[in-house]
Each structure stands twice: as structure tokens, then as C-alpha cells.
Amino acid sequence: MWSAQDVARDQVRRQANGLDMAAVAEKVAEAAVRERETVEQLRRGGSFSEFEADPERPAAVWAARHVEWQRVRDLMARAGWGEYEPERDTQGSKWAQEREERRDGALAARAAFEARRREEADELRAELWLSAAPSRLVRAAADRAGLMPAQVLAQLAERVVVGEDGTVSVPPFTPSR
């Protein structure tokens, strides 16, 4: 759901909160080392984790973290901040808001998908083969109502009544749109 830049920006924003310039400079240096290490490990074909689906992802995240730590360092130097405060970082705040909006959209889409799946679990899809006589009756009723035969059968099924003794019946009705 999140790109390497999104992950890096989120992590740096949280970790940098309250850090002074010297601590941020250390984070820049650490990120540079980790970026080199992950790129080298990737070149050697080494695995970062057995659970990592994309072997290039950790290297991309460390590269993005390095860039983000540099951005925070440069912002603090330009603005003359003694320590980093995420709320004062307008660009970082904008990116955080965009991430939250994407996250909320993804969660809403997932919830809608799950709701459709639950609904579909209650649905019954069937292929029905009728002999000639009942088939002609259903087709005639469908033609009179201007419907497809499957629509008449669906309306028929919606009106099924099951008696206490297990008998199945359908009260008389006229198929309609």
C-alpha cells in the first residue's frame, strides 16, 4: 500500500521528533551506511528476510530513508531549528496527510470488498436445465413480461414459500420488471 518513500517518510517523521541537529546528522550517517549495506547485500544475492516478497524493497526503503533524513537535516539548518518538530515541517505534514488519505481510501475499499464478499456468500448461483414443457412456459411468461427467462426464474425463486412440513410452493404472481 505504501511506497518505499512513504515508509521512509513515516518512520523518519516519528523517529526525528525532538531530535537535535547532531542526532539528525547521526541518523543521516547511519542511513547512508545501511543504504550501502543493503545495496551490497542485494548485489551479492543475499536475502534480507525469508518473509520479504520483494528482495529489492529493503534497499529501496533505506535509500529513501537516507534521502528523508537529509531533507530533515537541511530543513532544520535552513529554518534554524534547535530540534525537529513534525508539526512545523509543512512538507512532511502534507505527505503524512496524503498517506493517511490513501490509507483511509484503501481501508474503505477493503471494507466494501469484504461486504460484497459476505453478500455473495449468501447468494446462490445455479445453472438450471428444464425439460421442454416447463421451459416453454417460462419462456412464454418471460416474453409477456418483457424479461429474460432467468429473470422470471429469479422472481419465482424470490417468492418461494417453504411449509412447516417441508413442502415448497409459490403463490400465484405476475412476473414484472
Side-chain angles (χ1 to χ4, degrees), residues 47-102:
S47 176
F48 294 102
S49 166
E50 61 188 83
F51 303 109
E52 190 68 48
D54 179 5
E56 295 178 2
R57 178 112 172 133
V61 169
W62 274 107
R65 284 177 77 176
H66 185 204
V67 168
E68 185 61 10
W69 279 114
Q70 289 172 328
R71 185 192 72 80
V72 168
R73 179 198 59 205
D74 296 346
L75 171 67
M76 289 177 66
R78 265 194 324 275
W81 295 350
E83 64 180 40
Y84 180 77
E85 295 175 40
E87 306 80 36
R88 292 172 60 191
D89 181 354
T90 55
Q91 183 62 56
S93 296
K94 179 182 169 204
W95 286 334
Q97 179 64 35
E98 290 170 356
R99 279 191 307 276
E100 283 303 310
E101 289 169 3
R102 283 196 313 273

Side-chain angles (χ1 to χ4, degrees), residues 26-45:
E26 286 177 24
K27 292 291 189 177
V28 170
E30 177 190 351
V33 168
R34 294 298 304 266
E35 179 183 10
R36 279 192 306 276
E37 290 173 351
T38 55
V39 167
E40 182 57 34
Q41 189 171 358
L42 186 61
R43 259 191 232 124
R44 287 191 314 254

Side-chain angles (χ1 to χ4, degrees), residues 12 45 76 108 147 157:
V12 169
M76 289 177 66
L147 300 170

Side-chain angles (χ1 to χ4, degrees), residues 82-148:
E83 64 180 40
Y84 180 77
E85 295 175 40
E87 306 80 36
R88 292 172 60 191
D89 181 354
T90 55
Q91 183 62 56
S93 296
K94 179 182 169 204
W95 286 334
Q97 179 64 35
E98 290 170 356
R99 279 191 307 276
E100 283 303 310
E101 289 169 3
R102 283 196 313 273
R103 179 183 169 275
D104 292 346
L107 290 174
R110 179 68 182 180
F113 172 77
E114 289 297 328
R116 280 192 310 274
R117 248 183 73 209
R118 282 191 299 277
E119 260 181 42
E120 289 173 357
D122 291 339
E123 292 178 0
L124 173 65
R125 295 178 188 266
E127 190 170 314
L128 181 64
W129 294 88
L130 297 175
S131 62
S135 179
R136 279 192 292 275
L137 293 173
V138 170
R139 287 180 193 282
D143 286 342
R144 282 193 303 273
L147 300 170
M148 301 291 294

